[in-house]
PDB file of all heavy atoms in Angstrom:
ATOM      1  N   LEU A  26      13.198   9.361   2.438  1.00 96.00           N
ATOM      2  CA  LEU A  26      14.291   9.882   1.606  1.00 96.00           C
ATOM      3  C   LEU A  26      14.352   9.139   0.273  1.00 96.00           C
ATOM      4  O   LEU A  26      14.508   9.751  -0.791  1.00 96.00           O
ATOM      5  CB  LEU A  26      15.625   9.732   2.350  1.00 96.00           C
ATOM      6  CG  LEU A  26      16.821  10.370   1.680  1.00 96.00           C
ATOM      7  CD1 LEU A  26      16.764  11.883   1.783  1.00 96.00           C
ATOM      8  CD2 LEU A  26      18.124   9.875   2.301  1.00 96.00           C
ATOM      9  N   LEU A  36      16.010  15.443  -1.317  1.00 94.00           N
ATOM     10  CA  LEU A  36      15.912  16.025   0.024  1.00 94.00           C
ATOM     11  C   LEU A  36      17.317  16.159   0.609  1.00 94.00           C
ATOM     12  O   LEU A  36      18.227  15.405   0.224  1.00 94.00           O
ATOM     13  CB  LEU A  36      15.050  15.128   0.930  1.00 94.00           C
ATOM     14  CG  LEU A  36      13.551  15.096   0.630  1.00 94.00           C
ATOM     15  CD1 LEU A  36      12.840  14.130   1.585  1.00 94.00           C
ATOM     16  CD2 LEU A  36      12.934  16.478   0.729  1.00 94.00           C
ATOM     17  N   PRO A  37      17.513  17.095   1.563  1.00 93.00           N
ATOM     18  CA  PRO A  37      18.835  17.235   2.175  1.00 93.00           C
ATOM     19  C   PRO A  37      19.274  15.897   2.784  1.00 93.00           C
ATOM     20  O   PRO A  37      18.478  15.231   3.457  1.00 93.00           O
ATOM     21  CB  PRO A  37      18.607  18.269   3.284  1.00 93.00           C
ATOM     22  CG  PRO A  37      17.338  18.958   2.934  1.00 93.00           C
ATOM     23  CD  PRO A  37      16.514  17.996   2.142  1.00 93.00           C
ATOM     24  N   MET A  38      20.482  15.501   2.541  1.00 92.00           N
ATOM     25  CA  MET A  38      21.015  14.259   3.118  1.00 92.00           C
ATOM     26  C   MET A  38      22.531  14.262   3.028  1.00 92.00           C
ATOM     27  O   MET A  38      23.107  15.003   2.240  1.00 92.00           O
ATOM     28  CB  MET A  38      20.437  13.019   2.427  1.00 92.00           C
ATOM     29  CG  MET A  38      20.749  12.873   0.958  1.00 92.00           C
ATOM     30  SD  MET A  38      22.329  12.124   0.620  1.00 92.00           S
ATOM     31  CE  MET A  38      22.046  10.425   0.966  1.00 92.00           C
ATOM     32  N   ASP A  39      23.137  13.431   3.847  1.00 91.00           N
ATOM     33  CA  ASP A  39      24.581  13.256   3.747  1.00 91.00           C
ATOM     34  C   ASP A  39      24.919  11.775   3.919  1.00 91.00           C
ATOM     35  O   ASP A  39      25.243  11.076   2.974  1.00 91.00           O
ATOM     36  CB  ASP A  39      25.276  14.132   4.800  1.00 91.00           C
ATOM     37  CG  ASP A  39      26.767  14.195   4.578  1.00 91.00           C
ATOM     38  OD1 ASP A  39      27.257  13.500   3.667  1.00 91.00           O
ATOM     39  OD2 ASP A  39      27.448  14.921   5.319  1.00 91.00           O
ATOM     40  N   CYS A  40      24.742  11.290   5.157  1.00 92.00           N
ATOM     41  CA  CYS A  40      25.192   9.918   5.430  1.00 92.00           C
ATOM     42  C   CYS A  40      24.174   8.860   4.978  1.00 92.00           C
ATOM     43  O   CYS A  40      24.539   7.755   4.627  1.00 92.00           O
ATOM     44  CB  CYS A  40      25.458   9.760   6.923  1.00 92.00           C
ATOM     45  SG  CYS A  40      23.957   9.830   7.929  1.00 92.00           S
ATOM     46  N   SER A  41      22.890   9.190   5.048  1.00 91.00           N
ATOM     47  CA  SER A  41      21.754   8.280   4.823  1.00 91.00           C
ATOM     48  C   SER A  41      21.760   7.086   5.786  1.00 91.00           C
ATOM     49  O   SER A  41      21.119   6.069   5.547  1.00 91.00           O
ATOM     50  CB  SER A  41      21.671   7.804   3.369  1.00 91.00           C
ATOM     51  OG  SER A  41      22.574   6.768   3.118  1.00 91.00           O
ATOM     52  N   ASP A  42      22.469   7.244   6.886  1.00 92.00           N
ATOM     53  CA  ASP A  42      22.592   6.157   7.866  1.00 92.00           C
ATOM     54  C   ASP A  42      22.122   6.541   9.264  1.00 92.00           C
ATOM     55  O   ASP A  42      22.413   5.835  10.228  1.00 92.00           O
ATOM     56  CB  ASP A  42      24.064   5.716   7.964  1.00 92.00           C
ATOM     57  CG  ASP A  42      24.400   4.713   6.891  1.00 92.00           C
ATOM     58  OD1 ASP A  42      23.466   4.014   6.460  1.00 92.00           O
ATOM     59  OD2 ASP A  42      25.563   4.664   6.478  1.00 92.00           O
ATOM     60  N   GLY A  43      21.492   7.676   9.418  1.00 94.00           N
ATOM     61  CA  GLY A  43      21.043   8.077  10.746  1.00 94.00           C
ATOM     62  C   GLY A  43      22.163   8.578  11.637  1.00 94.00           C
ATOM     63  O   GLY A  43      22.060   8.496  12.861  1.00 94.00           O
ATOM     64  N   VAL A  44      23.206   9.127  11.038  1.00 94.00           N
ATOM     65  CA  VAL A  44      24.362   9.560  11.824  1.00 94.00           C
ATOM     66  C   VAL A  44      24.539  11.079  11.827  1.00 94.00           C
ATOM     67  O   VAL A  44      24.824  11.688  12.855  1.00 94.00           O
ATOM     68  CB  VAL A  44      25.655   8.885  11.282  1.00 94.00           C
ATOM     69  CG1 VAL A  44      26.890   9.429  11.999  1.00 94.00           C
ATOM     70  CG2 VAL A  44      25.563   7.372  11.465  1.00 94.00           C
ATOM     71  N   CYS A  45      24.331  11.721  10.670  1.00 93.00           N
ATOM     72  CA  CYS A  45      24.725  13.130  10.554  1.00 93.00           C
ATOM     73  C   CYS A  45      23.622  14.117  10.950  1.00 93.00           C
ATOM     74  O   CYS A  45      23.908  15.246  11.338  1.00 93.00           O
ATOM     75  CB  CYS A  45      25.181  13.424   9.125  1.00 93.00           C
ATOM     76  SG  CYS A  45      23.845  13.308   7.917  1.00 93.00           S
ATOM     77  N   GLY A  46      22.381  13.744  10.810  1.00 94.00           N
ATOM     78  CA  GLY A  46      21.270  14.653  11.141  1.00 94.00           C
ATOM     79  C   GLY A  46      20.933  15.629  10.022  1.00 94.00           C
ATOM     80  O   GLY A  46      20.035  16.462  10.178  1.00 94.00           O
ATOM     81  N   THR A  47      21.605  15.538   8.877  1.00 94.00           N
ATOM     82  CA  THR A  47      21.367  16.493   7.773  1.00 94.00           C
ATOM     83  C   THR A  47      19.932  16.411   7.244  1.00 94.00           C
ATOM     84  O   THR A  47      19.386  17.401   6.763  1.00 94.00           O
ATOM     85  CB  THR A  47      22.349  16.192   6.602  1.00 94.00           C
ATOM     86  OG1 THR A  47      23.661  16.144   7.139  1.00 94.00           O
ATOM     87  CG2 THR A  47      22.267  17.245   5.518  1.00 94.00           C
ATOM     88  N   CYS A  48      19.328  15.247   7.336  1.00 96.00           N
ATOM     89  CA  CYS A  48      18.013  15.046   6.719  1.00 96.00           C
ATOM     90  C   CYS A  48      16.862  15.353   7.687  1.00 96.00           C
ATOM     91  O   CYS A  48      15.719  15.014   7.414  1.00 96.00           O
ATOM     92  CB  CYS A  48      17.889  13.605   6.228  1.00 96.00           C
ATOM     93  SG  CYS A  48      17.934  12.416   7.582  1.00 96.00           S
ATOM     94  N   LYS A  49      17.183  16.024   8.798  1.00 97.00           N
ATOM     95  CA  LYS A  49      16.157  16.246   9.827  1.00 97.00           C
ATOM     96  C   LYS A  49      15.042  17.178   9.324  1.00 97.00           C
ATOM     97  O   LYS A  49      15.311  18.231   8.768  1.00 97.00           O
ATOM     98  CB  LYS A  49      16.813  16.876  11.061  1.00 97.00           C
ATOM     99  CG  LYS A  49      16.013  16.704  12.330  1.00 97.00           C
ATOM    100  CD  LYS A  49      16.701  17.369  13.493  1.00 97.00           C
ATOM    101  CE  LYS A  49      18.076  16.815  13.747  1.00 97.00           C
ATOM    102  NZ  LYS A  49      18.800  17.538  14.814  1.00 97.00           N
ATOM    103  N   GLU A  62      17.709   2.781  14.280  1.00 88.00           N
ATOM    104  CA  GLU A  62      19.082   2.680  13.769  1.00 88.00           C
ATOM    105  C   GLU A  62      19.678   4.051  13.505  1.00 88.00           C
ATOM    106  O   GLU A  62      20.242   4.308  12.452  1.00 88.00           O
ATOM    107  CB  GLU A  62      19.101   1.820  12.519  1.00 88.00           C
ATOM    108  CG  GLU A  62      18.711   0.388  12.837  1.00 88.00           C
ATOM    109  CD  GLU A  62      18.826  -0.523  11.648  1.00 88.00           C
ATOM    110  OE1 GLU A  62      19.287  -0.067  10.598  1.00 88.00           O
ATOM    111  OE2 GLU A  62      18.427  -1.681  11.797  1.00 88.00           O
ATOM    112  N   TYR A  63      19.494   4.958  14.442  1.00 93.00           N
ATOM    113  CA  TYR A  63      20.111   6.271  14.319  1.00 93.00           C
ATOM    114  C   TYR A  63      20.707   6.628  15.675  1.00 93.00           C
ATOM    115  O   TYR A  63      20.355   6.037  16.701  1.00 93.00           O
ATOM    116  CB  TYR A  63      19.105   7.329  13.856  1.00 93.00           C
ATOM    117  CG  TYR A  63      17.966   7.574  14.821  1.00 93.00           C
ATOM    118  CD1 TYR A  63      18.077   8.532  15.844  1.00 93.00           C
ATOM    119  CD2 TYR A  63      16.785   6.858  14.721  1.00 93.00           C
ATOM    120  CE1 TYR A  63      17.026   8.756  16.725  1.00 93.00           C
ATOM    121  CE2 TYR A  63      15.735   7.068  15.602  1.00 93.00           C
ATOM    122  CZ  TYR A  63      15.860   8.021  16.594  1.00 93.00           C
ATOM    123  OH  TYR A  63      14.835   8.230  17.475  1.00 93.00           O
ATOM    124  N   ILE A  64      21.604   7.603  15.648  1.00 93.00           N
ATOM    125  CA  ILE A  64      22.269   7.941  16.912  1.00 93.00           C
ATOM    126  C   ILE A  64      21.662   9.215  17.497  1.00 93.00           C
ATOM    127  O   ILE A  64      21.066  10.032  16.783  1.00 93.00           O
ATOM    128  CB  ILE A  64      23.799   8.102  16.732  1.00 93.00           C
ATOM    129  CG1 ILE A  64      24.108   9.274  15.798  1.00 93.00           C
ATOM    130  CG2 ILE A  64      24.421   6.815  16.215  1.00 93.00           C
ATOM    131  CD1 ILE A  64      25.580   9.658  15.779  1.00 93.00           C
ATOM    132  N   ALA A  67      22.197  12.612  15.991  1.00 95.00           N
ATOM    133  CA  ALA A  67      21.435  12.937  14.779  1.00 95.00           C
ATOM    134  C   ALA A  67      20.012  13.356  15.129  1.00 95.00           C
ATOM    135  O   ALA A  67      19.452  14.273  14.520  1.00 95.00           O
ATOM    136  CB  ALA A  67      21.407  11.741  13.838  1.00 95.00           C
ATOM    137  N   LEU A  68      19.429  12.711  16.114  1.00 95.00           N
ATOM    138  CA  LEU A  68      18.048  13.026  16.520  1.00 95.00           C
ATOM    139  C   LEU A  68      17.919  12.691  18.001  1.00 95.00           C
ATOM    140  O   LEU A  68      17.986  11.510  18.389  1.00 95.00           O
ATOM    141  CB  LEU A  68      17.050  12.193  15.701  1.00 95.00           C
ATOM    142  CG  LEU A  68      15.572  12.482  15.959  1.00 95.00           C
ATOM    143  CD1 LEU A  68      15.172  13.828  15.344  1.00 95.00           C
ATOM    144  CD2 LEU A  68      14.685  11.381  15.367  1.00 95.00           C
ATOM    145  N   VAL A  78      11.974  14.308  12.598  1.00 97.00           N
ATOM    146  CA  VAL A  78      12.236  12.977  12.023  1.00 97.00           C
ATOM    147  C   VAL A  78      13.501  13.028  11.175  1.00 97.00           C
ATOM    148  O   VAL A  78      13.915  14.100  10.722  1.00 97.00           O
ATOM    149  CB  VAL A  78      11.067  12.510  11.121  1.00 97.00           C
ATOM    150  CG1 VAL A  78       9.817  12.248  11.935  1.00 97.00           C
ATOM    151  CG2 VAL A  78      10.786  13.533  10.020  1.00 97.00           C
ATOM    152  N   LEU A  79      14.091  11.870  10.978  1.00 97.00           N
ATOM    153  CA  LEU A  79      15.177  11.736  10.003  1.00 97.00           C
ATOM    154  C   LEU A  79      14.565  11.051   8.790  1.00 97.00           C
ATOM    155  O   LEU A  79      14.107   9.902   8.879  1.00 97.00           O
ATOM    156  CB  LEU A  79      16.312  10.880  10.579  1.00 97.00           C
ATOM    157  CG  LEU A  79      16.992  11.431  11.835  1.00 97.00           C
ATOM    158  CD1 LEU A  79      18.011  10.420  12.372  1.00 97.00           C
ATOM    159  CD2 LEU A  79      17.676  12.766  11.558  1.00 97.00           C
ATOM    160  N   THR A  80      14.551  11.749   7.665  1.00 97.00           N
ATOM    161  CA  THR A  80      13.854  11.153   6.509  1.00 97.00           C
ATOM    162  C   THR A  80      14.610   9.946   5.962  1.00 97.00           C
ATOM    163  O   THR A  80      14.022   9.130   5.256  1.00 97.00           O
ATOM    164  CB  THR A  80      13.660  12.191   5.381  1.00 97.00           C
ATOM    165  OG1 THR A  80      14.940  12.685   4.984  1.00 97.00           O
ATOM    166  CG2 THR A  80      12.784  13.350   5.839  1.00 97.00           C
ATOM    167  N   CYS A  81      15.898   9.813   6.300  1.00 96.00           N
ATOM    168  CA  CYS A  81      16.638   8.643   5.805  1.00 96.00           C
ATOM    169  C   CYS A  81      16.280   7.393   6.606  1.00 96.00           C
ATOM    170  O   CYS A  81      16.674   6.292   6.232  1.00 96.00           O
ATOM    171  CB  CYS A  81      18.143   8.902   5.827  1.00 96.00           C
ATOM    172  SG  CYS A  81      18.873   8.918   7.479  1.00 96.00           S
ATOM    173  N   GLN A  82      15.551   7.571   7.716  1.00 96.00           N
ATOM    174  CA  GLN A  82      15.156   6.437   8.557  1.00 96.00           C
ATOM    175  C   GLN A  82      13.635   6.266   8.641  1.00 96.00           C
ATOM    176  O   GLN A  82      13.136   5.164   8.844  1.00 96.00           O
ATOM    177  CB  GLN A  82      15.686   6.631   9.992  1.00 96.00           C
ATOM    178  CG  GLN A  82      17.193   6.798  10.069  1.00 96.00           C
ATOM    179  CD  GLN A  82      17.924   5.567   9.571  1.00 96.00           C
ATOM    180  OE1 GLN A  82      17.648   4.454   9.975  1.00 96.00           O
ATOM    181  NE2 GLN A  82      18.864   5.774   8.651  1.00 96.00           N
TER     182      GLN A  82
HETATM  183 FE1  FES B 401      22.471  11.574   7.802  1.00 67.78          FE
HETATM  184 FE2  FES B 401      19.842  11.109   7.617  1.00 67.78          FE
HETATM  185  S1  FES B 401      21.191  11.694   6.051  1.00 67.78           S
HETATM  186  S2  FES B 401      21.039  11.191   9.387  1.00 67.78           S
END
Side-chain angles (χ1 to χ4, degrees):
L26 187 72
L36 289 178
M38 62 84 75
D39 191 356
C40 68
S41 80
D42 275 333
V44 174
C45 67
T47 308
C48 64
K49 201 181 301 175
E62 295 185 5
Y63 63 89
I64 64 169
L68 184 73
V78 293
L79 298 175
T80 58
C81 72
Q82 302 298 310

